[in-house]
Amino acid sequence: MAKKVLVTGGAGYIGSHTVVELIRAGYEPLILDDYRNSDPSVIQRLKQIIGKEPEHVVCDVCDQNKINEVFQTFDISGVIHFAAYKAVGESVENPLKYYSNNISGLNSILTVIKRNPQIPFVFSSSCTVYGEPSGIKEVDEKTERAIPTSPYGYTKWLGEQIIEDLFTSQGDLKMMSLRYFNPIGAHESGIIGELPVGKPNNLLPFITQTAAGLHNELTIFGNDYPTHDGTCIRDYIHVVDLAEAHVKAIDYLFAQQKGCNEIINIGTGKGTSVLDLVKTFERENNIKLNYAFGPRRSGDVIEIYANVDYALSLINWKAKKDIKDAVKDAWNWEKSIRHLK
Ligand code: UDP
């Protein structure tokens, strides 16, 4: 029988793509979402891709009683925990919103996991835990974590710490944190993708929205950084590759006889500058993008990209797609939601 995997935040950007890949791999995802940061129409969109409506429950991940009830009602074999807020700027303006949601959501799920150590648990972490790497810009999992630069970053940093402390107290748990680099792109069908709430903070959604005419121009935050073209460098990972990494992570945990707590970088291993991404978008989609250079954005890391050796050796995962695929898929998705040709 197919194993049921609870996907908290399963209607969100990364969650919805992971639901598709879980089904492809023979799992039975159960979406848990209260749509506060996603759109319920995602369920019907997923149906278009996978041929049936995915099982879903409306629930606030912080509501411990309801979470307990969900675990009593469904025969859940594994958990992938996405549900969390993720806007860096908003977290600076409203830290309590981030601490209360991101930490209590994690806490309520882990409370159940603690009682059911046979249930593997995968956590969405972030490369934000590395801060600005000193010296080498390629970070591996042994690179020391830095003091986070935002409350959002702290919630990921603390999330990993909570998991580690829990594992220290109870070594039979099976847990894995995936440190995402910069997820971009959309499903190649153009049926699901990122649906930013309000004005996007992230680069590629801002690019596609500008190309679609929602903004006059993209501001590139800073062109005087010590990089090949003066703009910041990130490791942009296609969301479908990232979704597959979650499947490999849960596969790995299901196969473990003993407890474990692993942390893995999920990126491509390649650094791309803001200007490189803009030019790739223009070239691959044959579009001229309006952009201008503006001042640096405070708190931006200059350059970081992943060392991805551990992901390959531990869970046999590596990225298959590149930024060309991502900019085409992202534009295809933007056009489909804006009804553009
Ligand atoms: N960026 C930009 N203009 C925008 C949004 C982002 O120049 O409108 C730059 C940003 O300064 C950073 C890179 O794009 O150098 C990636 O930013 P994003 O917010 O997507 O990811 P993060 O900073 O969290 O890695």
Side-chain angles (χ1 to χ4, degrees):
M1 217 177 75
K3 290 194 176 86
K4 197 181 285 295
V5 176
L6 181 72
V7 185
T8 75
Y13 175 43
I14 304 168
S16 58
H17 290 81
T18 300
V19 166
V20 174
E21 297 310 315
L22 282 168
I23 295 225
R24 273 165 49 98
Y27 289 108
E28 204 178 81
L30 167 62
I31 295 172
L32 183 142
D33 210 300
D34 64 1
Y35 308 116
R36 73 177 65 185
N37 233 353
S38 58
D39 197 299
S41 70
V42 168
I43 302 296
Q44 294 314 313
R45 290 176 173 276
L46 284 168
K47 183 179 172 188
Q48 278 177 263
I49 300 176
I50 61 189
K52 61 172 186 189
E53 199 172 286
E55 215 169 357
H56 54 283
V57 284
V58 180
C59 178
D60 174 358
V61 76
C62 301
D63 187 333
Q64 185 75 68
N65 292 335
K66 281 212 179 124
I67 290 293
N68 293 345
E69 235 176 84
V70 167
F71 277 85
Q72 276 153 16
T73 309
F74 297 93
D75 181 17
I76 293 166
S77 300
V79 176
I80 304 179
H81 178 53
F82 292 104
Y85 291 133
K86 61 171 188 179
V88 174
E90 187 193 36
S91 80
V92 174
E93 279 154 31
N94 199 348
L96 294 184
K97 175 174 173 180
Y98 276 68
Y99 286 118
S100 82
N101 185 57
N102 294 9
I103 301 301
S104 34
L106 175 63
N107 195 74
S108 73
I109 295 288
L110 287 180
T111 300
V112 181
I113 296 289
K114 183 175 151 54
R115 289 198 298 264
N116 300 276
Q118 77 286 1
I119 300 181
F121 175 79
V122 179
F123 176 61
S124 301
S125 190
S126 163
C127 69
T128 188
V129 301
Y130 294 117
E132 176 79 59
S134 57
I136 296 173
K137 304 302 179 183
E138 182 190 84
V139 292
D140 66 23
E141 295 80 357
K142 292 195 182 73
T143 303
E144 215 167 312
R145 293 189 303 168
I147 300 277
T149 53
S150 70
Y152 161 76
Y154 264 110
T155 67
K156 294 299 170 187
W157 196 102
L158 202 56
E160 286 190 3
Q161 193 62 45
I162 290 169
I163 291 167
E164 191 185 317
D165 292 345
L166 181 61
F167 183 68
T168 304
S169 76
Q170 194 178 327
D172 56 352
L173 302 173
K174 296 173 189 169
M175 306 197 280
M176 192 179 288
S177 297
L178 302 184
R179 287 181 179 158
Y180 312 158
F181 281 67
N182 288 59
I184 58 168
H187 195 258
E188 63 190 3
S189 63
I191 297 170
I192 54 169
E194 192 168 5
L195 273 175
V197 179
K199 204 170 174 182
N201 296 300
N202 294 116
L203 180 59
L204 193 53
F206 206 96
I207 290 175
T208 56
Q209 287 196 359
T210 305
L214 274 75
H215 314 288
N216 289 334
E217 66 178 17
L218 164 78
T219 304
I220 295 181
F221 300 135
N223 63 339
D224 57 352
Y225 286 103
T227 61
H228 67 272
D229 58 18
T231 65
C232 292
I233 292 179
R234 298 285 183 277
D235 185 339
Y236 294 96
I237 170 85
H238 196 294
V239 67
V240 172
D241 277 331
L242 178 55
E244 275 178 24
H246 290 82
V247 175
K248 295 274 182 146
I250 204 93
D251 283 346
Y252 173 87
L253 293 177
F254 277 129
Q256 298 313 297
Q257 303 302 323
K258 290 192 190 146
C260 62
N261 180 30
E262 296 284 353
I263 294 179
I264 306 184
N265 282 346
I266 304 293
T268 63
K270 287 194 196 78
T272 301
S273 76
V274 175
L275 211 47
D276 290 336
L277 194 73
V278 168
K279 289 189 174 154
T280 307
F281 176 85
E282 292 188 315
R283 203 172 43 241
E284 293 302 316
N285 296 310
N286 206 11
I287 290 174
K288 179 85 198 73
L289 192 79
N290 247 346
Y291 65 84
F293 295 110
R296 292 181 176 195
R297 182 172 74 178
S298 97
D300 263 344
V301 165
I302 302 168
E303 177 172 1
I304 186 168
Y305 54 94
N307 176 301
V308 288
D309 295 348
Y310 195 47
L312 185 61
S313 67
L314 191 76
I315 61 169
N316 190 29
W317 174 90
K318 74 172 185 195
K320 297 184 197 133
K321 296 175 183 275
D322 60 19
I323 56 167
K324 290 188 203 159
D325 302 310
V327 295
K328 283 189 279 195
D329 291 336
W331 180 230
N332 190 28
W333 159 246
E334 187 74 51
K335 282 192 297 187
S336 101
I337 52 172
R338 308 287 165 207
H339 309 291
L340 301 170
K341 286 222 175 94

